[in-house]
Amino acid sequence: MWVIPEDVLLAGALWITERANPYFILQRRKGHGDGGGGLAGLLVGTLDVVLDSSARMAPYRILYQTPDSVVYWIIAHGTSRKEITEHWEWLEHNLLQTLSIFENENDITTFVKGKVQGIIAEFNKNHDVKEDDDTDKFKEASSKFRKLFGMPDEEKLVNYYSCSYWKGKVPRQGWLYLSINHICFYSYLLGKEAKLVVRWADITQLEKSATLLLPDVIKVSTRANEHVFSVFLNINETFKLAEQLANIAMRRLLDNKGFELDRSLPKLKKKSPKKVSALKRDLDARAKSERYRALFRLPKDEKLDGHTDCTLWTPFNKMHILGQMFVSTNYICFTSKEETLCSLIIPLREVTIVEKADSSNVLPSPLSISTKNRMTFLFANLKDRDFLVQRISDFLQQTTSKIYLERELNGSLNSSDDESHYEKSSRLVCPTFDPAIFTSSQAKEFLKEQAWKNHFTEYGEGVCMYRTEKTKELVLKGIPESMRGELWLLFSGAINEMTTHPGYYEDLVEKSMGKYNLATEEIERDLHRSLPEHPAFQNEMGIAALRRVLTAYAFRNPNIGYCQAMNIVTSVLLLYAKEEEAFWLLVALCERMLPDYYNTRVVGALVDQGVFEELAREYVPQLYDCMQDLGVISTISLSWFLTLFLSVMPFESAVVVVDCFFYDGIKVIFQLALSVLHANIHQLLGCKDDGEAMTVLGRYLDSVTNKDSTLPPIPHLHSLLTDNGEPHPEVDIFKLVRSSYEKFGSIRADVIEQMRFKQRLRVIQTIEDTTKRNVVRTIVTETAFSIDELEELYVLFKAEHLSSCYWGSSSNPTERHDPSLPYLEQYRIDVELFKGLFALLFPWANGAHSDPLAVRFFRLLDENGDALLNFRDFINGLSVLCHGDLTEKLKLLYKMHVLPGECQTSMKKLSTPDYRHYLKLWNEETKPKRESTKDLPKLNQSQFIELCKTLYSMFSEDVAEQELYHATATVTSLLLEMGEVGKLFTSCGRKDPSQETNSESSLCRRDLMDLKSTQDPLDLGDVFIPAELEDKPSPCEDAKQQNVSEELAPMQDIKLEDSSPKETGTSSAMLISDDETKDDTSMSSYSVLSAGSHELDEKLQCEDIADDTVLVCSDERPSERERRGIPNGGGLPHSTSIDKDWAITFEQFLASVLTEQALVRYFEKPVDVAACITNAKNVRKVGRPLLSTSDYEISLSG
């Protein structure tokens, strides 16, 4: 490829000159090409890998130099001799003579450099190459990555790092490549090459650790191997990127949210690093945005624009607090360097004025921001204040225009819909105080309210409130009943989404009313189980509100829909918030604060269960082993975490836990759970089984009380179910919460996220393994494959699906992978993916002719017509070919051609079936199916021709090719005769056969002759055409040769007549090539025209067609046919009449094949399944590696 000219000082170092002229030199890198370069070549190859020589990675290059200059310019390089030779020849033919005209060498240099740059610009324009931010060095490394590992262009390299890979006790220095879907390693040392490819989706563990010998290593574990990398220049950056890419892969396996490169992620280009890819910068921005959203509880689509150090003036303590300002599209946030000192969130929708104040020694570069509630925030010590003010002003302008647009829309909506079907502002519980009867608990409640009101006065109220250590103290003392809903909205961030989406909940309720699906059925079943002991849910008003909120969320997020435990949490939210507020609190809970908790497999809860086990091992080690032996941790954590202790603790105490959770997040739940274990450590150590341990913990949680509560006593369901043993002494909830902060408050949110990542890998891979075992267990009794073979085949099947997700397919990956479906339906493949597996695994695959047969096979296996095959369908087809007897295989081949119409690659998709559809299918599958050979329909004439074509193409690469062709010709002749005899018997009762036009035989002849013309005549001779049909002319030929006296010898039993004269004009669409002796082995040397419509036939004239043109019945894919404007009709031209009486039965086909031993041997040939699987695992198709195991082993060559 041509490259932008770059100067080179030492042109001869490590390079060998192969060609030269006065202006240009073609060089080859030592160690490449013929001979390898001996020891010098080995050393150069090693240096290229150990040192970062990727910018000079190409083994060939062309240099430009004027005769009197010592400086060379590299203008082109190539990975092959052919590529570089083309560039060299272009230079000789187009530039050499032109350069001799110039007198000044500087003019020559300017001209050559300009010419090369022009060629590059023209190439980019013609090939639609978009300019990006990647450096030339990175582009070359990306090209090298694809070449080394056979990756397609769709596989994007993110970054690459120098490191050592430990194979046994020997380190191999090389390069670690991190791409979107794979982690790869390459090393070349003294002639020995080592490669490693691991898919992110197959990684079970990724951790950074240290040993005595190696201070920093990264361990990558799969199901089969463990790989250790060390000696990184920046191990933290490498590990964070690897962690992020593995997380993306796990997300795909979990819920199909595939990674899409988001070019809209903003970048502050002033500080953009120069030697990383644009994709790497975007991923870094994505990671920063995720941390930013988690820190300030912002909506999930908020993107960080940038951050800078600054100080914030805090009026409540008259101080300038050092911290960081974060600016995003809709918010300005601040957090102090000392984590708990102060944090601030300012939505741009609340901002009225942003202005630069006068600088002074005390306040350098100050910035003042005023809000609607008359609060002013003063920031100072801003490094680039002008740039920051400009960014904030831009975002503020966008926000203002959005607000006006929303007001107009909502104004028109509200004017037309004054009355709603439910009371928007109602709450299920409205606490009131009667001053006449002021109890001690009500007095405490009143004091709490006063404390919060004073706090609002001093620190501000609403979203823009200063959040300090004092705020946290007030939360730990308990939020007043009357303020609980308001503060939950504030601390969870739900207030932001509710404010920016006015009317959204009402629209959802309207749309979901009267709709029925699996989620709504489950909701109805659980409505009366939601806090049944609470009076609010003992009447229809409370039940109806709960129904609306749950149903609206199920329609908002179909991936979650509804999960048990959501009803309990939502019912508590409704007690303290309005319906719309409860809905947005549920959104915040399910989508941000408890991610993946409430999907069908409660993955988030399982992940946090693993995190809790790690924390228990660290903080209560003396109890950990005992709890693991009893298996209690897994039991308690799910019930505690999923319902936030609401189902295991008295209601008035559990809401205090929810208060703390909305303020401090998931760490509160972990702290509290550890405190409960720590408080019962001695009793738990004495337990002999899990039942006894659960009883101990249950009694303890039942005894947790809230003496400050003003609510009437509510009987706790859990306590009603416990036995009549000695009750546990009362435990004050506020003391328990404070104790959890004192003992376990050191648990940090970022540490929890690290642990979550580690556990997520383990949980999702365990789920994938469970799915595989269940699928194999389901079908192992239906097939002759062993369990090990089925597992290997399942991995191949899944790998094909994943590869298509990475690099594209004709169908949407989300339609083929749905984790919520039954195990067998979770991974499905379309026809394009099936073609790839067919070529790798099926014994009838034969190279170039595999695809049409694979498409027919796919249509036969796709019984429900959804254009997708599950693993059972796939195995059923493969089992017949690998383990079936002769009759089963021939029946399968026969049935492939009985299907009506052409084999199509795009079928009409059914709508996604619901669970009742699968129950119906399961019920049908349980019924025994016995298919007699007599039940098979007859094969008509056109189907018979297609069967003959299939048979001829199947043997094209077989070792007994000639013998099989002769046998096929014999069987074809025999079946033709049978069909003609059957036709006579069928038509005798209706019409005199002497008056029938017999175009079918000529049709068969023409199609069989087409087969002959497309094969190598030197190999096949005349065996393609049965002897009876060999010399018969086609109707077109017959019309042109009326005076020829040579007559065809009639068959002994049947007289075959030529077609009627009226057909001779249109049958010219079946011209045969006159030059039958060309040494061509395929149709690629011919111009193939498909005769698919009557209109096309009329346009084709014999004299307009070249001598080497063959017209055949097309068996193309519909997309190709449509591109050429050919309708998707039957397989034959409309102009050719087909006699429906001509047909053969399966018995006739079977009997004919049994007469030829060559065919019998072919179809009875045993299949080595293990060898097929091994071959499939090792084969890497061009541009698309098939990873059948979790990784490729290190391969050494040299």
PDB file of all heavy atoms in Angstrom, residues 444-467:
ATOM      1  N   LYS A 444     -40.698  11.963  68.866  1.00  0.00           N
ATOM      2  CA  LYS A 444     -39.413  11.715  68.186  1.00  0.00           C
ATOM      3  C   LYS A 444     -39.549  11.983  66.683  1.00  0.00           C
ATOM      4  O   LYS A 444     -38.652  12.536  66.052  1.00  0.00           O
ATOM      5  CB  LYS A 444     -38.963  10.285  68.427  1.00  0.00           C
ATOM      6  CG  LYS A 444     -38.508  10.004  69.854  1.00  0.00           C
ATOM      7  CD  LYS A 444     -38.060   8.550  70.008  1.00  0.00           C
ATOM      8  CE  LYS A 444     -37.612   8.274  71.443  1.00  0.00           C
ATOM      9  NZ  LYS A 444     -37.226   6.850  71.625  1.00  0.00           N
ATOM     10  N   GLU A 445     -40.698  11.576  66.137  1.00  0.00           N
ATOM     11  CA  GLU A 445     -40.935  11.792  64.718  1.00  0.00           C
ATOM     12  C   GLU A 445     -40.975  13.285  64.403  1.00  0.00           C
ATOM     13  O   GLU A 445     -40.412  13.741  63.391  1.00  0.00           O
ATOM     14  CB  GLU A 445     -42.255  11.117  64.318  1.00  0.00           C
ATOM     15  CG  GLU A 445     -42.525  11.098  62.829  1.00  0.00           C
ATOM     16  CD  GLU A 445     -41.687  10.058  62.101  1.00  0.00           C
ATOM     17  OE1 GLU A 445     -40.973   9.274  62.759  1.00  0.00           O
ATOM     18  OE2 GLU A 445     -41.738  10.037  60.861  1.00  0.00           O
ATOM     19  N   PHE A 446     -41.623  14.052  65.290  1.00  0.00           N
ATOM     20  CA  PHE A 446     -41.707  15.493  65.098  1.00  0.00           C
ATOM     21  C   PHE A 446     -40.316  16.128  65.155  1.00  0.00           C
ATOM     22  O   PHE A 446     -39.988  17.013  64.351  1.00  0.00           O
ATOM     23  CB  PHE A 446     -42.623  16.096  66.173  1.00  0.00           C
ATOM     24  CG  PHE A 446     -42.740  17.584  66.088  1.00  0.00           C
ATOM     25  CD1 PHE A 446     -43.527  18.190  65.110  1.00  0.00           C
ATOM     26  CD2 PHE A 446     -42.053  18.393  66.997  1.00  0.00           C
ATOM     27  CE1 PHE A 446     -43.622  19.572  65.052  1.00  0.00           C
ATOM     28  CE2 PHE A 446     -42.147  19.774  66.923  1.00  0.00           C
ATOM     29  CZ  PHE A 446     -42.939  20.370  65.945  1.00  0.00           C
ATOM     30  N   LEU A 447     -39.491  15.667  66.080  1.00  0.00           N
ATOM     31  CA  LEU A 447     -38.131  16.201  66.197  1.00  0.00           C
ATOM     32  C   LEU A 447     -37.288  15.868  64.956  1.00  0.00           C
ATOM     33  O   LEU A 447     -36.471  16.680  64.517  1.00  0.00           O
ATOM     34  CB  LEU A 447     -37.468  15.642  67.461  1.00  0.00           C
ATOM     35  CG  LEU A 447     -38.044  16.150  68.795  1.00  0.00           C
ATOM     36  CD1 LEU A 447     -37.403  15.416  69.968  1.00  0.00           C
ATOM     37  CD2 LEU A 447     -37.846  17.658  68.924  1.00  0.00           C
ATOM     38  N   LYS A 448     -37.510  14.680  64.430  1.00  0.00           N
ATOM     39  CA  LYS A 448     -36.788  14.309  63.206  1.00  0.00           C
ATOM     40  C   LYS A 448     -37.169  15.249  62.061  1.00  0.00           C
ATOM     41  O   LYS A 448     -36.307  15.710  61.299  1.00  0.00           O
ATOM     42  CB  LYS A 448     -37.129  12.865  62.801  1.00  0.00           C
ATOM     43  CG  LYS A 448     -36.461  11.789  63.629  1.00  0.00           C
ATOM     44  CD  LYS A 448     -36.857  10.420  63.088  1.00  0.00           C
ATOM     45  CE  LYS A 448     -36.328   9.297  63.974  1.00  0.00           C
ATOM     46  NZ  LYS A 448     -36.751   7.963  63.491  1.00  0.00           N
ATOM     47  N   GLU A 449     -38.454  15.541  61.949  1.00  0.00           N
ATOM     48  CA  GLU A 449     -38.900  16.439  60.887  1.00  0.00           C
ATOM     49  C   GLU A 449     -38.268  17.812  61.041  1.00  0.00           C
ATOM     50  O   GLU A 449     -37.823  18.422  60.055  1.00  0.00           O
ATOM     51  CB  GLU A 449     -40.429  16.557  60.903  1.00  0.00           C
ATOM     52  CG  GLU A 449     -41.157  15.327  60.397  1.00  0.00           C
ATOM     53  CD  GLU A 449     -42.656  15.556  60.322  1.00  0.00           C
ATOM     54  OE1 GLU A 449     -43.079  16.730  60.448  1.00  0.00           O
ATOM     55  OE2 GLU A 449     -43.396  14.582  60.129  1.00  0.00           O
ATOM     56  N   GLN A 450     -38.236  18.300  62.279  1.00  0.00           N
ATOM     57  CA  GLN A 450     -37.636  19.604  62.523  1.00  0.00           C
ATOM     58  C   GLN A 450     -36.152  19.607  62.183  1.00  0.00           C
ATOM     59  O   GLN A 450     -35.627  20.574  61.608  1.00  0.00           O
ATOM     60  CB  GLN A 450     -37.842  20.022  63.987  1.00  0.00           C
ATOM     61  CG  GLN A 450     -39.287  20.319  64.337  1.00  0.00           C
ATOM     62  CD  GLN A 450     -39.889  21.393  63.440  1.00  0.00           C
ATOM     63  OE1 GLN A 450     -39.286  22.440  63.212  1.00  0.00           O
ATOM     64  NE2 GLN A 450     -41.088  21.121  62.925  1.00  0.00           N
ATOM     65  N   ALA A 451     -35.455  18.508  62.514  1.00  0.00           N
ATOM     66  CA  ALA A 451     -34.022  18.410  62.211  1.00  0.00           C
ATOM     67  C   ALA A 451     -33.791  18.460  60.694  1.00  0.00           C
ATOM     68  O   ALA A 451     -32.858  19.122  60.218  1.00  0.00           O
ATOM     69  CB  ALA A 451     -33.465  17.112  62.796  1.00  0.00           C
ATOM     70  N   TRP A 452     -34.633  17.771  59.934  1.00  0.00           N
ATOM     71  CA  TRP A 452     -34.494  17.780  58.468  1.00  0.00           C
ATOM     72  C   TRP A 452     -34.819  19.168  57.907  1.00  0.00           C
ATOM     73  O   TRP A 452     -34.156  19.631  56.962  1.00  0.00           O
ATOM     74  CB  TRP A 452     -35.404  16.717  57.841  1.00  0.00           C
ATOM     75  CG  TRP A 452     -34.756  15.355  57.818  1.00  0.00           C
ATOM     76  CD1 TRP A 452     -34.967  14.338  58.692  1.00  0.00           C
ATOM     77  CD2 TRP A 452     -33.787  14.900  56.881  1.00  0.00           C
ATOM     78  NE1 TRP A 452     -34.184  13.255  58.356  1.00  0.00           N
ATOM     79  CE2 TRP A 452     -33.450  13.573  57.243  1.00  0.00           C
ATOM     80  CE3 TRP A 452     -33.157  15.458  55.781  1.00  0.00           C
ATOM     81  CZ2 TRP A 452     -32.529  12.809  56.536  1.00  0.00           C
ATOM     82  CZ3 TRP A 452     -32.231  14.696  55.060  1.00  0.00           C
ATOM     83  CH2 TRP A 452     -31.919  13.389  55.435  1.00  0.00           C
ATOM     84  N   LYS A 453     -35.842  19.827  58.466  1.00  0.00           N
ATOM     85  CA  LYS A 453     -36.179  21.157  57.969  1.00  0.00           C
ATOM     86  C   LYS A 453     -35.037  22.133  58.240  1.00  0.00           C
ATOM     87  O   LYS A 453     -34.715  22.988  57.398  1.00  0.00           O
ATOM     88  CB  LYS A 453     -37.466  21.646  58.624  1.00  0.00           C
ATOM     89  CG  LYS A 453     -38.715  20.926  58.109  1.00  0.00           C
ATOM     90  CD  LYS A 453     -39.973  21.364  58.856  1.00  0.00           C
ATOM     91  CE  LYS A 453     -41.192  20.612  58.335  1.00  0.00           C
ATOM     92  NZ  LYS A 453     -42.430  20.959  59.089  1.00  0.00           N
ATOM     93  N   ASN A 454     -34.432  22.027  59.423  1.00  0.00           N
ATOM     94  CA  ASN A 454     -33.264  22.873  59.719  1.00  0.00           C
ATOM     95  C   ASN A 454     -32.120  22.575  58.759  1.00  0.00           C
ATOM     96  O   ASN A 454     -31.398  23.475  58.324  1.00  0.00           O
ATOM     97  CB  ASN A 454     -32.811  22.645  61.168  1.00  0.00           C
ATOM     98  CG  ASN A 454     -33.842  23.125  62.171  1.00  0.00           C
ATOM     99  OD1 ASN A 454     -34.671  23.987  61.863  1.00  0.00           O
ATOM    100  ND2 ASN A 454     -33.807  22.578  63.383  1.00  0.00           N
ATOM    101  N   HIS A 455     -31.964  21.291  58.436  1.00  0.00           N
ATOM    102  CA  HIS A 455     -30.910  20.880  57.505  1.00  0.00           C
ATOM    103  C   HIS A 455     -31.150  21.503  56.126  1.00  0.00           C
ATOM    104  O   HIS A 455     -30.213  22.000  55.477  1.00  0.00           O
ATOM    105  CB  HIS A 455     -30.883  19.349  57.408  1.00  0.00           C
ATOM    106  CG  HIS A 455     -29.778  18.828  56.532  1.00  0.00           C
ATOM    107  ND1 HIS A 455     -28.477  18.732  56.947  1.00  0.00           N
ATOM    108  CD2 HIS A 455     -29.794  18.371  55.253  1.00  0.00           C
ATOM    109  CE1 HIS A 455     -27.728  18.239  55.977  1.00  0.00           C
ATOM    110  NE2 HIS A 455     -28.505  18.013  54.936  1.00  0.00           N
ATOM    111  N   PHE A 456     -32.393  21.492  55.683  1.00  0.00           N
ATOM    112  CA  PHE A 456     -32.721  22.086  54.390  1.00  0.00           C
ATOM    113  C   PHE A 456     -32.431  23.583  54.393  1.00  0.00           C
ATOM    114  O   PHE A 456     -31.958  24.149  53.395  1.00  0.00           O
ATOM    115  CB  PHE A 456     -34.191  21.851  54.046  1.00  0.00           C
ATOM    116  CG  PHE A 456     -34.542  20.406  53.815  1.00  0.00           C
ATOM    117  CD1 PHE A 456     -35.817  19.928  54.094  1.00  0.00           C
ATOM    118  CD2 PHE A 456     -33.599  19.522  53.312  1.00  0.00           C
ATOM    119  CE1 PHE A 456     -36.151  18.606  53.882  1.00  0.00           C
ATOM    120  CE2 PHE A 456     -33.919  18.190  53.095  1.00  0.00           C
ATOM    121  CZ  PHE A 456     -35.194  17.724  53.382  1.00  0.00           C
ATOM    122  N   THR A 457     -32.714  24.228  55.510  1.00  0.00           N
ATOM    123  CA  THR A 457     -32.469  25.671  55.606  1.00  0.00           C
ATOM    124  C   THR A 457     -30.983  25.977  55.476  1.00  0.00           C
ATOM    125  O   THR A 457     -30.574  26.946  54.821  1.00  0.00           O
ATOM    126  CB  THR A 457     -32.996  26.211  56.943  1.00  0.00           C
ATOM    127  OG1 THR A 457     -34.387  25.907  57.060  1.00  0.00           O
ATOM    128  CG2 THR A 457     -32.785  27.722  57.031  1.00  0.00           C
ATOM    129  N   GLU A 458     -30.159  25.148  56.101  1.00  0.00           N
ATOM    130  CA  GLU A 458     -28.718  25.399  56.136  1.00  0.00           C
ATOM    131  C   GLU A 458     -27.996  24.883  54.897  1.00  0.00           C
ATOM    132  O   GLU A 458     -27.086  25.536  54.383  1.00  0.00           O
ATOM    133  CB  GLU A 458     -28.131  24.734  57.393  1.00  0.00           C
ATOM    134  CG  GLU A 458     -26.671  25.091  57.624  1.00  0.00           C
ATOM    135  CD  GLU A 458     -26.148  24.534  58.936  1.00  0.00           C
ATOM    136  OE1 GLU A 458     -26.944  23.894  59.678  1.00  0.00           O
ATOM    137  OE2 GLU A 458     -24.956  24.720  59.225  1.00  0.00           O
ATOM    138  N   TYR A 459     -28.404  23.730  54.380  1.00  0.00           N
ATOM    139  CA  TYR A 459     -27.665  23.081  53.302  1.00  0.00           C
ATOM    140  C   TYR A 459     -28.404  23.116  51.953  1.00  0.00           C
ATOM    141  O   TYR A 459     -27.901  22.612  50.967  1.00  0.00           O
ATOM    142  CB  TYR A 459     -27.377  21.617  53.660  1.00  0.00           C
ATOM    143  CG  TYR A 459     -26.444  21.462  54.824  1.00  0.00           C
ATOM    144  CD1 TYR A 459     -26.930  21.396  56.133  1.00  0.00           C
ATOM    145  CD2 TYR A 459     -25.067  21.391  54.630  1.00  0.00           C
ATOM    146  CE1 TYR A 459     -26.070  21.262  57.203  1.00  0.00           C
ATOM    147  CE2 TYR A 459     -24.202  21.257  55.701  1.00  0.00           C
ATOM    148  CZ  TYR A 459     -24.705  21.187  56.992  1.00  0.00           C
ATOM    149  OH  TYR A 459     -23.846  21.045  58.053  1.00  0.00           O
ATOM    150  N   GLY A 460     -29.597  23.670  51.950  1.00  0.00           N
ATOM    151  CA  GLY A 460     -30.358  23.714  50.713  1.00  0.00           C
ATOM    152  C   GLY A 460     -31.341  22.558  50.631  1.00  0.00           C
ATOM    153  O   GLY A 460     -31.197  21.542  51.308  1.00  0.00           O
ATOM    154  N   GLU A 461     -32.349  22.739  49.779  1.00  0.00           N
ATOM    155  CA  GLU A 461     -33.389  21.724  49.645  1.00  0.00           C
ATOM    156  C   GLU A 461     -33.503  21.308  48.183  1.00  0.00           C
ATOM    157  O   GLU A 461     -33.251  22.093  47.282  1.00  0.00           O
ATOM    158  CB  GLU A 461     -34.734  22.288  50.134  1.00  0.00           C
ATOM    159  CG  GLU A 461     -35.842  21.247  50.214  1.00  0.00           C
ATOM    160  CD  GLU A 461     -37.100  21.809  50.852  1.00  0.00           C
ATOM    161  OE1 GLU A 461     -37.124  23.021  51.164  1.00  0.00           O
ATOM    162  OE2 GLU A 461     -38.070  21.044  51.037  1.00  0.00           O
ATOM    163  N   GLY A 462     -33.898  20.060  47.967  1.00  0.00           N
ATOM    164  CA  GLY A 462     -34.071  19.565  46.603  1.00  0.00           C
ATOM    165  C   GLY A 462     -32.793  18.972  46.042  1.00  0.00           C
ATOM    166  O   GLY A 462     -31.843  18.649  46.765  1.00  0.00           O
ATOM    167  N   VAL A 463     -32.762  18.867  44.715  1.00  0.00           N
ATOM    168  CA  VAL A 463     -31.638  18.185  44.058  1.00  0.00           C
ATOM    169  C   VAL A 463     -30.323  18.897  44.321  1.00  0.00           C
ATOM    170  O   VAL A 463     -29.274  18.263  44.447  1.00  0.00           O
ATOM    171  CB  VAL A 463     -31.907  18.101  42.536  1.00  0.00           C
ATOM    172  CG1 VAL A 463     -30.834  17.266  41.847  1.00  0.00           C
ATOM    173  CG2 VAL A 463     -33.274  17.525  42.254  1.00  0.00           C
ATOM    174  N   CYS A 464     -30.348  20.224  44.414  1.00  0.00           N
ATOM    175  CA  CYS A 464     -29.101  20.989  44.539  1.00  0.00           C
ATOM    176  C   CYS A 464     -28.598  21.096  45.980  1.00  0.00           C
ATOM    177  O   CYS A 464     -27.753  21.945  46.285  1.00  0.00           O
ATOM    178  CB  CYS A 464     -29.298  22.389  43.967  1.00  0.00           C
ATOM    179  SG  CYS A 464     -29.779  22.378  42.229  1.00  0.00           S
ATOM    180  N   MET A 465     -29.102  20.275  46.863  1.00  0.00           N
ATOM    181  CA  MET A 465     -28.701  20.309  48.271  1.00  0.00           C
ATOM    182  C   MET A 465     -27.237  19.883  48.434  1.00  0.00           C
ATOM    183  O   MET A 465     -26.770  18.970  47.752  1.00  0.00           O
ATOM    184  CB  MET A 465     -29.621  19.368  49.057  1.00  0.00           C
ATOM    185  CG  MET A 465     -29.261  19.203  50.517  1.00  0.00           C
ATOM    186  SD  MET A 465     -30.448  18.117  51.371  1.00  0.00           S
ATOM    187  CE  MET A 465     -30.096  16.554  50.595  1.00  0.00           C
ATOM    188  N   TYR A 466     -26.530  20.556  49.343  1.00  0.00           N
ATOM    189  CA  TYR A 466     -25.181  20.105  49.715  1.00  0.00           C
ATOM    190  C   TYR A 466     -25.328  18.797  50.499  1.00  0.00           C
ATOM    191  O   TYR A 466     -26.046  18.747  51.510  1.00  0.00           O
ATOM    192  CB  TYR A 466     -24.482  21.137  50.602  1.00  0.00           C
ATOM    193  CG  TYR A 466     -24.097  22.423  49.906  1.00  0.00           C
ATOM    194  CD1 TYR A 466     -24.895  23.548  50.019  1.00  0.00           C
ATOM    195  CD2 TYR A 466     -22.929  22.510  49.154  1.00  0.00           C
ATOM    196  CE1 TYR A 466     -24.546  24.747  49.404  1.00  0.00           C
ATOM    197  CE2 TYR A 466     -22.573  23.700  48.527  1.00  0.00           C
ATOM    198  CZ  TYR A 466     -23.386  24.813  48.651  1.00  0.00           C
ATOM    199  OH  TYR A 466     -23.034  25.986  48.035  1.00  0.00           O
ATOM    200  N   ARG A 467     -24.647  17.769  50.070  1.00  0.00           N
ATOM    201  CA  ARG A 467     -24.740  16.473  50.758  1.00  0.00           C
ATOM    202  C   ARG A 467     -23.449  16.265  51.541  1.00  0.00           C
ATOM    203  O   ARG A 467     -22.371  16.120  50.955  1.00  0.00           O
ATOM    204  CB  ARG A 467     -24.955  15.342  49.758  1.00  0.00           C
ATOM    205  CG  ARG A 467     -26.187  15.611  48.894  1.00  0.00           C
ATOM    206  CD  ARG A 467     -26.381  14.586  47.804  1.00  0.00           C
ATOM    207  NE  ARG A 467     -27.345  15.083  46.824  1.00  0.00           N
ATOM    208  CZ  ARG A 467     -28.204  14.344  46.155  1.00  0.00           C
ATOM    209  NH1 ARG A 467     -28.219  13.043  46.349  1.00  0.00           N
ATOM    210  NH2 ARG A 467     -29.033  14.868  45.283  1.00  0.00           N
TER     211      ARG A 467
END
